[in-house]
Amino acid sequence: MEKQNILRNIPKVDELLNHPALLALDLPAGNIRAAVREELETLRGQVLSGALDVLPDKASIAAAAGERAKREALPSLRPVINGTGVVLHTNLGRACLSRRAVEAVAAVAGGYSTLEYDVEQGCRGSRHGHIEELLTQATGAEAAMAVNNNAAAVLLILSAIGKGGEVAASRGEMVEIGGSFRIPDIMTQCGCALREVGTTNKTHLYDYENAIGPETKALLRVHTSNYRIVGFSERPALAELVELGHKHGLPVIEDLGSGSLADLNAFGIHDEPTVQQSVKAGVDLISFSGDKLLGGPQAGLILGKKAYIGQLKRHPLARAVRVDKMTIAALRETLYAYLDPARAREEIPVLSMLGEPPHMLHSKAALLCQRLMGQGCAARVVETESQVGGGSCPAQALPSWAVAVDPGKLTVDGLETALRRRERPIIGRISQGQYLLDVRTLWDEDFADIETAVKEVLQ
Ligand SMILES: *Cc1c(COP(=O)(O)O)cnc(C)c1O
């Protein structure tokens, strides 16, 4: 009886919707109405279960509904602070674009553009034209094009070149990238038969040669970007494979995966081949990702001989995997930076993060640590290791510095959760019982947010 009385006093939806706290919200009406309904439903549930025997006043209910509406209005795709030290974190969006690339995207996104329009001639232009010359200039390749991602690039290449025949590939390179992208399965999908050659650890040139027959359409090389076979292992040099292919009139295709245009040796990364090396070796078609070591947008870049690239551009699948204007804008700026290697290292976040010297990272960590201590938090600067990520350079740990944040009255897991569930989530790493923020992947602008968040979470 008592409960029925309380329930009857719960305000009506429309009554609450007219409350100033909710009228002031700049959110879609449907969003607010749904939040009010849910808030009232929650109250009803609490009354029925006996958890609530005095109703909050109308202003408090309206305020709670407002908070709920704001929470629900947050897009699920939103910026985070990456304190993991993983530079190419696939779950956190891989490469961060350069400032110029971001501006270029914004410039074309909201209006009309020359996407497929030749302003000189006043007629239809080519979507590929915006980046082809930059790619060929940067790599020495004859021709180039971009598609939606590298998986699409491999799909297009194998469909155009291998369909109805056999493609020979080493057993040591049967790569799975994740998300069901596996070389053998992709081959099936493209209508070509995989001809496995060699063994897991050793594949010789003669293994390829013995496999070549009337059905053979191409030789495929796959960069084992996310694992390494070490020890008693061998595979032919790329140039040898190219020579063999050409002797038999067969194209050689290479899925380079990460595809770096920059020499990463200066960053202490020694086992990552460059795109230029593959072009120089004479590979007929090379593909790689735009958002891995290149440091650009999600894209698949394809380089190679003019005749083959032409064949790909005309293939029906090319339309299905084509890139949009925003991707092209970002790619153009990213590739443009590579015309000057020093500029690329400075402007492209992936390169500047990978190339940040340890003493600079130490100063950055010391600064963040000081700021957190200024908020009454116990923090320490600790040595750590960052990862390249994105399935690139798996054997390579980069010496780095992090701030270990003391969880205070929380547990380490509790601290991690609280920071992760914020409007702008902070993603850290727990290592050996410590909560770490690796400063390699933090922007200076993140510091203020981290400071506020840590203060609020620990108080
Ligand atoms: C990452 C990768 C791919 C897939 O590239 P996406 O751009 O993520 O589609 C394909 N092959 C190799 C070897 C890779 O490393």
Side-chain angles (χ1 to χ4, degrees), residues 94 149-151 177 181 222-223 225 255 257-258 289 291-292 299:
R94 284 202 189 151
N149 55 20
N150 187 34
I177 300 307
F181 183 89
V222 184
H223 178 39
S225 44
D255 172 7
S258 330
S289 296
D291 55 354
K292 289 186 183 171

Side-chain angles (χ1 to χ4, degrees), residues 45-75:
Q46 286 171 338
V47 172
L48 286 172
S49 73
L52 195 74
D53 44 22
V54 184
L55 276 186
D57 59 24
K58 213 189 278 178
S60 309
I61 301 176
E67 286 309 310
R68 186 187 284 268
K70 278 193 262 179
R71 219 166 38 238
E72 286 171 0
L74 279 182

Side-chain angles (χ1 to χ4, degrees), residues 117-438:
Y117 189 74
D118 182 333
V119 274
E120 285 304 314
Q121 306 300 323
C123 63
R124 185 179 177 162
S126 160
R127 183 181 290 257
H128 302 294
H130 306 289
I131 52 147
E132 181 158 18
E133 201 177 320
L134 279 172
L135 267 172
T136 53
Q137 245 177 305
T139 60
E142 278 180 21
M145 67 186 287
V147 295
N148 194 38
N149 55 20
N150 187 34
V154 175
L155 191 75
L156 177 60
I157 293 172
L158 290 175
S159 301
I161 307 289
K163 193 172 179 155
E166 279 182 8
V167 172
S170 163
R171 288 195 168 89
E173 300 171 4
M174 293 298 123
V175 178
E176 172 179 316
I177 300 307
S180 78
F181 183 89
R182 301 165 130 190
I183 292 297
D185 300 343
I186 286 293
M187 292 258 194
T188 313
Q189 192 62 40
C190 297
C192 43
L194 167 63
R195 179 66 188 260
E196 288 184 47
V197 306
T199 62
T200 302
N201 56 328
K202 281 207 174 201
T203 301
H204 303 279
L205 195 63
Y206 60 72
D207 290 319
Y208 289 95
E209 182 142 38
N210 291 342
I212 294 173
E215 301 299 317
T216 313
K217 298 270 196 177
L219 308 180
L220 173 68
R221 164 87 86 159
V222 184
H223 178 39
T224 58
S225 44
N226 52 4
Y227 66 101
R228 293 286 185 267
I229 293 175
V230 295
F232 189 61
S233 74
E234 197 179 318
R235 61 180 196 173
L238 202 47
E240 291 175 330
L241 196 62
V242 169
E243 195 186 329
L244 175 69
H246 292 180
K247 192 172 92 185
H248 292 271
L250 296 172
V252 174
I253 300 166
E254 183 175 32
D255 172 7
L256 251 183
S258 330
S260 181
L261 288 188
D263 181 357
L264 300 180
N265 279 293
F267 303 160
I269 296 172
H270 300 297
D271 57 355
E272 189 60 32
T274 64
V275 175
Q276 292 90 327
Q277 286 166 347
S278 294
V279 173
K280 205 159 167 205
V283 178
D284 298 280
L285 281 170
I286 302 161
S287 77
F288 57 99
S289 296
D291 55 354
K292 289 186 183 171
L293 290 170
L294 185 76
Q298 176 187 306
L301 300 170
I302 310 176
L303 307 174
K305 305 284 161 61
K306 219 175 185 128
Y308 293 119
I309 294 285
Q311 203 178 328
L312 299 188
K313 284 178 182 169
R314 291 187 301 272
H315 193 276
L317 254 185
R319 172 61 187 257
V321 296
R322 78 178 182 184
V323 278
D324 75 330
K325 60 191 173 190
M326 292 179 278
T327 303
I328 291 173
L331 263 181
R332 191 271 173 192
E333 285 313 307
T334 306
L335 293 169
Y336 191 76
Y338 276 97
L339 294 181
D340 175 357
R343 175 167 156 175
R345 267 204 300 280
E346 198 172 305
E347 289 186 0
I348 296 176
V350 170
L351 298 184
S352 60
M353 284 177 184
L354 290 177
E356 184 109 58
H359 72 271
M360 297 284 285
L361 293 166
H362 184 267
S363 316
K364 200 168 154 186
L367 184 66
L368 178 61
C369 186
Q370 213 171 29
R371 288 179 65 164
L372 295 185
M373 291 198 306
Q375 297 298 335
C377 151
R380 289 181 308 122
V381 172
V382 297
E383 210 162 357
T384 188
E385 282 180 339
S386 321
Q387 301 285 324
V388 178
S392 307
C393 320
Q396 200 78 48
L398 303 164
S400 186
W401 292 90
V403 175
V405 184
D406 188 275
K409 59 183 192 316
L410 301 177
T411 61
V412 169
D413 290 318
L415 175 65
E416 189 275 332
T417 308
L419 291 175
R420 169 162 45 79
R421 292 202 177 146
R422 293 182 60 88
E423 181 170 334
R424 181 148 186 242
I426 300 174
I427 316 294
R429 189 155 50 86
I430 295 176
S431 169
Q432 297 173 332
Q434 297 190 102
Y435 179 81
L436 299 184
L437 292 170
D438 184 332

